[in-house]
Amino acid sequence: MAKISVFGIGYVGVVAAACLARDGHSVIAVDVDPGKIKSINAGLSPIVENGLDELIADAVKQGRLEATSDVQYAVDNTDASFVAVGTPSAPDGSVGLVYVTDVCKNIGKALKNKDTWHSVVIRSTIVPGSCETACIPTLEEESGKKAGVDFGMGYYPEFLRESTAIEDYYDPGLIVFGAMDKPTADILTELNKDLPCDINVVDLRTAEMVKYCSNTWRAVKVTYANEIGNIAKACGLDGQKVMEILTSDNKAIVSKYFMRPGFAFGGSCLPKDVRALRHLAREKGIKAHLLEATLEANEAQIQRAEDMVTKSGAKKVGFVGVAFKPGTDDLRESPLATLAGRLIEKGIEVSIYDPYVAEAYATETPGAGRGNDVIPNLPERITTDLNAMLNDTGAVVVGNLYSETVEALTKSAKSRPIVDLTRLNKELVSDGTYEGICW
């Protein structure tokens, strides 16, 4: 079994750490946030994710998972370090590497004091060439050692979806990693050998590019489906029905998941990754027409929803869902949060029903409200009483679909404006007080 240190107890890092520990590996999670460290060591999850609480509790109980802020301790007591910190967009839209290079500096300093072989594996999403131009130079400068010769170097992207991360970890659609040296390739192969998926071992840049292709392709598919949905609705057609028929062709259409007309894409990956790849194309003198259009179209879909809500004339609006997708409390670049913030700026009173965000605040999860920079006083706007919210609002925005809300919302659609961005059920089409964004 391997000994792995995971730097960054965020979404990717904590899921990876818990799953590695579940598989019998010894894991040390590293972060600068004392709250996250305390949560892990107490056997608690620092984020809301299905099934994660049980994994962490069991791993800590079995002595296979611990958390610390001590970088030297983590490097000294493991064979490989996984870097899983955030890469938020820089002001110009390029990928933000400051957190990655900061961690590489700290790992490099620790490597300087370690005599035995150690592999550094980047899991953060970074554009092609970043390992070679940013991570490796930083590690070499701080350690005084050479990558691929004195220490191992790899890039191992993740393809986890929030709310289904654990299932995705054990049933991945894609495994790819790049490695400069055999020891790093061997350890990554060993970690993945029992998973039901082909293992693609490539160079660092190819692995970096595959990750961006995956995320930007998802973003493009969402935009394409929305555009078709908008056109279909303008023609008096049901956009979702059109796309359901199209995606029934499993031979030509790779995946149905993103080919569903609805609201804008958001979250911690797709928006920033499209921006980053667009920026890279500009640097290379390549005109990336579709990437430019994808971001413009995604923004237009948010504006479309805003116009629909404004048209209702409601002064009080209730939101069902504010996280970027159902099943998570993550608000990073959530288009629903953006929409709510814009309505609040217009003087509209906004209340929010979102069981996962509510749970994060109620349990005082360290990551509660993470990513929110657009909704003022968010905790005060959260309610767990759906019926009370429906009775107190003039219009309702259905952003995320939760099964327990369908009956009440369907009934409310007969008496008050409902702006449906996800689709309560397939029987409802725009009519009277009910309006679907693409149907």
Side-chain angles (χ1 to χ4, degrees):
M1 291 298 175
K3 296 180 180 180
I4 308 291
S5 49
V6 179
F7 285 75
I9 312 179
Y11 168 73
V12 173
V14 72
V15 171
C19 290
L20 285 166
R22 179 189 186 182
D23 293 341
H25 304 292
S26 177
V27 183
I28 301 175
V30 188
D31 205 284
V32 297
D33 187 336
K36 292 180 179 180
I37 294 170
K38 183 178 180 181
S39 291
I40 292 289
N41 287 330
L44 302 173
S45 172
I47 66 169
V48 177
E49 174 67 30
N50 292 329
L52 191 56
D53 290 317
E54 295 83 357
L55 286 191
I56 291 177
D58 183 64
V60 172
K61 182 180 180 180
Q62 297 298 324
R64 293 194 296 267
L65 174 63
E66 63 175 303
T68 183
S69 61
D70 190 332
V71 175
Q72 191 68 57
Y73 170 80
V75 171
D76 285 345
N77 289 279
T78 55
D79 306 312
S81 294
F82 287 1
V83 178
V85 294
T87 53
S89 295
D92 62 359
S94 64
V95 62
L97 294 175
V98 61
Y99 298 139
V100 174
T101 54
D102 281 350
V103 170
C104 286
K105 285 180 183 178
N106 291 330
I107 293 176
K109 292 175 182 177
L111 288 177
K112 186 175 184 178
N113 300 317
K114 184 174 184 178
D115 296 329
T116 55
W117 182 269
H118 192 91
S119 293
V120 180
V121 178
I122 309 298
R123 300 216 70 185
S124 303
T125 303
I126 52 179
V127 296
S130 297
C131 275
E132 296 172 2
T133 62
C135 301
I136 291 175
T138 301
L139 288 163
E140 290 181 339
E141 180 179 358
E142 296 296 335
S143 68
K145 298 179 178 181
K146 187 172 180 59
V149 177
D150 302 311
F151 65 90
M153 188 71 206
Y155 181 71
Y156 173 33
E158 52 77 27
F159 300 97
L160 307 178
R161 298 169 297 170
E162 297 196 34
S163 79
T164 59
I166 295 172
E167 295 96 317
D168 290 343
Y169 186 93
Y170 289 106
D171 186 19
L174 174 65
I175 296 174
V176 61
F177 58 79
M180 290 184 69
D181 51 276
K182 188 175 185 299
T184 301
D186 286 346
I187 193 170
L188 292 176
T189 300
E190 178 66 22
L191 294 179
N192 288 285
K193 67 181 178 62
D194 295 325
L195 296 177
C197 189
D198 291 338
I199 298 175
N200 297 280
V201 184
V202 296
D203 59 275
L204 298 176
R205 287 192 177 216
T206 298
E208 291 167 329
M209 188 63 181
V210 169
K211 171 61 175 178
Y212 267 95
C213 287
S214 174
N215 278 6
T216 54
W217 173 229
R218 295 179 220 184
V220 168
K221 287 197 289 184
V222 171
T223 299
Y224 175 73
N226 285 340
E227 194 157 302
I228 294 299
N230 294 340
I231 295 170
K233 181 181 175 181
C235 296
L237 304 173
D238 185 332
Q240 287 195 352
K241 184 176 182 179
V242 170
M243 295 306 293
E244 283 174 3
I245 295 171
L246 179 66
T247 56
S248 68
D249 180 0
N250 291 319
K251 184 176 181 179
I253 306 301
V254 177
S255 169
K256 295 182 179 181
Y257 185 81
F258 297 96
M259 301 295 283
R260 186 177 184 274
F263 198 36
F265 61 80
S268 61
C269 296
L270 303 192
K272 74 178 182 63
D273 291 347
V274 177
R275 287 195 297 265
L277 201 57
R278 179 188 64 175
H279 184 272
L280 180 65
R282 289 174 175 176
E283 285 187 330
K284 301 296 184 182
I286 302 297
K287 291 185 177 181
H289 297 287
L290 185 56
L291 296 181
E292 298 280 357
T294 296
L295 293 173
E296 292 174 7
N298 202 54
E299 166 57 31
Q301 199 71 353
I302 300 175
Q303 184 61 54
R304 182 181 180 87
E306 182 181 348
D307 292 342
M308 291 168 65
V309 177
T310 303
K311 182 182 176 182
S312 74
K315 299 302 179 184
K316 290 185 177 181
V317 175
F319 273 66
V320 177
V322 73
F324 89 92
K325 63 181 285 189
T328 179
D329 66 323
D330 196 341
L331 285 93
R332 287 177 290 179
E333 297 208 40
S334 167
L336 290 170
T338 298
L339 176 59
R342 291 181 184 180
L343 295 177
I344 292 169
E345 287 182 355
K346 288 184 173 182
I348 295 174
E349 185 177 329
V350 170
S351 55
I352 298 165
Y353 175 89
D354 191 311
Y356 287 84
V357 176
E359 178 186 350
Y361 278 115
T363 57
E364 297 182 347
T365 301
R370 69 189 191 278
N372 174 46
D373 57 1
V374 291
I375 303 178
N377 306 313
L378 176 58
E380 288 76 22
R381 299 180 188 278
I382 298 292
T383 179
T384 56
D385 191 336
L386 176 65
N387 290 324
M389 186 184 80
L390 294 177
N391 291 332
D392 191 46
T393 54
V396 178
V397 174
V398 185
N400 289 332
L401 186 61
Y402 297 108
S403 58
E404 73 273 14
T405 68
V406 173
E407 182 177 351
L409 289 169
T410 302
K411 182 178 179 180
S412 292
K414 301 176 182 179
S415 60
R416 75 184 68 243
I418 297 286
V419 176
D420 193 350
L421 308 180
T422 186
R423 200 159 207 179
L424 291 170
N425 64 63
K426 294 180 180 179
E427 303 304 317
L428 291 173
V429 294
S430 296
D431 183 38
T433 56
Y434 173 87
E435 187 169 8
I437 191 168
C438 288
W439 49 90

